């Protein structure tokens, strides 16, 4: 009976993934400075996003999410949570995927909360996006096509990179109120 490969033998394959995520994942301090330009870019690309922002109870902005994979993949990004136009907390997005995938990419993501309950669930750590959840890519008509699921809608904007994938996985979020 053959023994499975040791963890140490798998490290060389994981190094490019870890390096890609570290290079594109911003520090928390920098992420706060990057939020206004990201919001402006979303509104510039689709003027209808102005209404989405103003109608939302709150939103989480991830200026840069880094994603990389060689068979097994991961994504990570740090961002800020807004309620009533003011920052109320810090957040981290983490994603693990398995399946046919190769490459790396960076993108911005905004999670919109249609209801107070959806925002509260996010703050309590109850929001986990499964394989059924989908994000809409930012286009000139993204706001017209935006659909909320359980009070949550997601819009992404590519920043760069190339990723080939047919994978399953989900996003998990952590939340820390400002001042903690």
């Amino acid at each position: 009976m053959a023994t499975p490969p040791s963890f140490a033998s798998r490290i060389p394959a994981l190094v490019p993934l870890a390096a890609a995520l570290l290079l594109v994942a911003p520090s928390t301090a920098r992420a706060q400075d990057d939020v206004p330009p990201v919001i402006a870019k979303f509104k510039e690309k689709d003027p209808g996003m102005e209404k989405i922002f103003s109608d939302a109870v709150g939103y989480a902005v991830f200026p840069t999410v880094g994603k990389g994979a060689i068979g097994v993949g991961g994504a990570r990004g740090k961002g800020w949570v807004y309620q009533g136009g003011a920052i109320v907390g810090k957040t981290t997005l983490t994603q693990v995927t398995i399946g046919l995938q190769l490459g790396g990419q960076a993108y911005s993501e905004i999670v919109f909360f249609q209801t107070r309950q959806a925002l509260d669930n996010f703050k309590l750590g109850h929001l986990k996006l499964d394989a059924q959840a989908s994000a809409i890519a930012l286009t000139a008509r993204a706001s017209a096509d935006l659909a909320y699921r359980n009070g949550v809608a997601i819009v992404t904007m590519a920043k760069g990179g190339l990723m080939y994938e047919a994978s399953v996985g989900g996003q998990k979020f952590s939340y820390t109120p400002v001042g903690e």
Side-chain angles (χ1 to χ4, degrees), residues 12-159:
L14 297 175
V15 169
L17 170 64
L21 291 176
L22 289 174
L23 287 174
V24 295
S27 71
T28 302
R30 188 172 150 235
Q32 185 178 10
D33 295 339
D34 290 347
V35 168
V38 168
I39 291 173
K41 187 75 171 172
F42 272 68
K43 291 176 181 179
E44 174 188 318
K45 198 153 188 178
D46 178 1
M49 292 301 295
E50 181 74 46
K51 182 163 176 41
I52 302 297
F53 277 97
S54 66
D55 289 350
V57 170
Y59 45 90
V61 180
F62 299 91
T64 301
V65 177
K67 184 174 187 177
I70 302 174
V72 175
R76 187 160 173 91
K78 293 181 183 240
W80 295 89
V81 179
Y82 287 74
Q83 183 174 356
I87 293 175
V88 295
K90 298 180 276 189
T91 183
T92 301
L93 173 158
T94 305
Q95 180 178 13
V96 176
T97 54
I98 57 171
L100 179 60
Q101 53 191 332
L102 175 66
Q105 68 180 160
Y107 59 94
S108 298
E109 178 171 311
I110 300 180
V111 180
F112 291 98
F113 305 104
Q114 185 180 34
T115 64
R116 174 69 187 227
Q117 181 180 3
L119 178 58
D120 289 345
N121 282 338
F122 180 87
K123 289 178 179 180
L124 293 170
H126 296 184
L127 178 63
K128 293 179 182 109
L129 302 178
D130 57 22
Q132 310 304 317
S134 62
I136 186 168
L138 183 63
T139 64
R141 289 189 26 85
S143 59
D145 299 331
L146 190 66
Y148 283 90
R149 181 170 178 234
N150 297 324
V152 177
I154 305 159
V155 182
T156 62
M157 178 178 59
K159 292 179 85 169

